[in-house]
Amino acid sequence: MLERRTSYEDLIDHLVRTTPLHRGEAGRVVLDVLAYFDETAEEFVRRRHRELQAKGLVNAEIFERIGEELPHRAVAPAPLSARQLRRIVYG
């Protein structure tokens, strides 16, 4: 019987061959990376707002920084104004 392989098995095999990661660790890394890239722009804005707020930044600084970070995401959304960013966070 043929072993069923997921679409990421080749990537996991590559990580095991080229890094000190064990198979289970490599699988978790792949899943973490996929989850990172699956994050929507809105989820990213909310998450970064919480993270930066926890570091003591005020909203003006937070929204400026998030606005600078968004274009560098894997799939960058259209540019968002500070007002649009606020609406994502506060509704």
Side-chain angles (χ1 to χ4, degrees):
M1 183 173 178
L2 292 175
E3 179 183 325
R4 182 182 165 106
R5 293 169 61 89
T6 67
S7 57
Y8 306 111
E9 290 296 320
D10 289 341
L11 177 56
I12 293 169
D13 291 342
H14 174 74
L15 289 172
V16 169
R17 279 192 313 272
T18 60
T19 70
L21 296 175
H22 297 286
R23 185 159 201 78
E25 295 168 324
R28 283 190 300 279
V29 167
V30 169
L31 292 177
D32 284 347
V33 169
L34 291 172
Y36 174 84
F37 285 114
D38 195 38
E39 184 177 51
T40 67
E42 289 81 9
E43 291 167 338
F44 171 77
V45 168
R46 288 184 190 105
R47 176 178 59 80
R48 285 299 288 150
H49 183 269
R50 284 190 308 273
E51 292 169 354
L52 296 171
Q53 200 172 44
K55 291 182 178 183
L57 276 71
V58 296
N59 277 344
E61 297 169 312
I62 291 171
F63 294 130
E64 181 178 345
R65 181 162 319 166
I66 292 172
E68 292 169 356
E69 292 175 356
L70 274 171
H72 303 287
R73 299 285 298 159
V75 179
L80 299 172
S81 69
R83 181 174 185 226
Q84 290 170 308
L85 295 171
R86 269 190 219 90
R87 292 196 80 192
I88 289 171
V89 172
Y90 297 112

